[in-house]
Amino acid sequence: MSHITANLMAVRQRIELAALAAQREPEDILLLAVSKTFPAHAIEEAMHAGQTAFGENYVQEAVEKITGLAKLRPWLEWHFIGPLQSNKTREVAEHFDWVHSIDRFKIAERLSVQRGEFPDLGDLQLCIQVNISQEDSKSGIPLAEAEALCMAISKLPRVTLRGLMAIPAPNLDMVMQSAAFGLVRECFLQIKIKHLNERGYEFFDTLSMGMSDDMETAIAQGSTIVRVGTAIFGKRDKINA
Ligand SMILES: *Cc1c(COP(=O)(O)O)cnc(C)c1O
């Protein structure tokens, strides 16, 4: 058995145990395999082990892999999870199924328009990235601005608003991690309850949080997508990580 296959089995077991501990159904948690910096053959290997959803951070690198694996496209689901600049939105609209890292209306608006150029594709699924670690304000919007951005995005055609995504600051202890995830969940639930019956919120069901080191804590706090790289594919080169 390859190390990727063995790692995938171990990660699935971690998800299952964390779900059971939280009295949740393991099937309600999607495992997103984060394949950034790893070659197409690693993705194929994971696919043969039953993995279908993959996450990428860099547009150029991702598009090369997606087009290289074009034959497998119908079985794969591609999620863009990295920072996204305006000049890269077209490629994302053309090649991806999901974007987790929306933190500006302008980016969502461009994706909406550009998705319209591909009538054969379904809607692009969007999550808003929130920033829950004030010291690192590189990406994500403050929780207090999430609802307004949701309201704006919910009205756009060809994109579907799915929920919130968060990356807590590294090196938090488990109590702080858990508190951070809990804040995102609270914000998500408040938005969901308030807009329950409005158009544009029919599929508002996603909390994208948890990675290799903190997936159990995230699942305990209601995560529905865990984004796992290292625990599946191994350590990345520092330069590209
Ligand atoms: C790289 C990355 C991951 C995966 O992190 P690991 O610690 O390797 O599991 C998850 N989410 C985002 C946004 C990433 O950039």
Side-chain angles (χ1 to χ4, degrees):
M1 193 192 299
S2 81
H3 74 284
I4 291 177
T5 304
N7 288 347
L8 264 172
M9 290 175 67
V11 168
R12 286 186 193 128
Q13 188 158 40
R14 282 176 64 184
I15 292 171
E16 203 168 305
L17 289 174
L20 293 177
Q23 298 185 298
R24 301 183 54 200
E25 297 295 332
E27 304 81 61
D28 292 343
I29 299 150
L30 174 73
L31 171 58
L32 184 65
V34 178
S35 45
K36 65 183 176 199
T37 79
F38 289 95
H41 69 76
I43 294 168
E44 273 188 272
E45 215 172 301
M47 191 197 153
H48 288 302
Q51 181 64 29
T52 54
F54 293 90
E56 289 281 343
N57 285 55
Y58 312 103
V59 176
Q60 189 79 27
E61 178 197 334
V63 169
E64 276 170 31
K65 287 186 229 173
I66 295 169
T67 51
L69 294 167
K71 279 204 186 114
L72 302 174
R73 186 69 182 90
W75 293 278
L76 299 181
E77 191 174 276
W78 291 100
H79 295 230
F80 189 79
I81 62 173
L84 180 52
Q85 268 107 45
S86 300
N87 61 346
K88 299 281 172 64
T89 52
R90 178 177 304 275
E91 283 179 289
V92 169
E94 180 175 358
H95 293 287
F96 280 87
D97 301 296
W98 284 68
V99 180
H100 292 224
S101 44
I102 300 293
D103 59 2
R104 278 180 291 159
F105 179 67
K106 190 182 149 208
I107 296 290
E109 194 178 33
R110 288 177 66 90
L111 290 169
S112 166
V113 170
Q114 290 164 343
R115 191 70 162 188
E117 296 167 19
F118 304 97
D120 294 345
L121 301 178
D123 281 10
L124 188 60
Q125 311 295 304
L126 303 186
C127 289
I128 290 170
Q129 183 174 353
V130 292
N131 186 342
I132 43 172
S133 44
Q134 287 82 354
E135 69 270 28
D136 166 13
S137 53
K138 288 197 308 261
S139 7
I141 56 164
L143 281 172
E145 294 168 24
E147 186 187 2
L149 187 52
C150 283
M151 288 168 72
I153 290 175
S154 71
K155 298 180 175 65
L156 292 173
R158 299 307 320 277
V159 297
T160 299
L161 179 65
R162 295 303 299 265
L164 304 181
M165 180 274 238
I167 311 172
N171 312 320
L172 292 182
D173 65 38
M174 209 199 280
V175 174
M176 294 300 288
Q177 257 173 18
S178 182
F181 288 137
L183 286 175
V184 183
R185 178 192 197 201
E186 272 307 304
C187 178
F188 167 80
L189 288 174
Q190 276 179 21
I191 296 171
K192 187 168 174 71
I193 290 163
K194 191 160 160 193
H195 298 276
L196 203 55
N197 298 316
E198 292 172 25
R199 272 183 72 180
Y201 291 85
E202 292 90 342
F203 302 97
F204 193 74
D205 60 1
T206 300
L207 269 174
S208 169
M209 38 187 217
M211 315 198 287
S212 292
D213 290 337
D214 58 10
M215 64 179 113
E216 284 86 358
T217 314
I219 288 168
Q221 289 292 348
S223 171
T224 65
I225 302 185
V226 288
R227 309 176 310 269
V228 180
T230 311
I232 295 171
F233 295 106
K235 275 203 157 48
R236 293 179 293 274
D237 287 344
K238 265 266 157 49
I239 330 141
N240 291 319

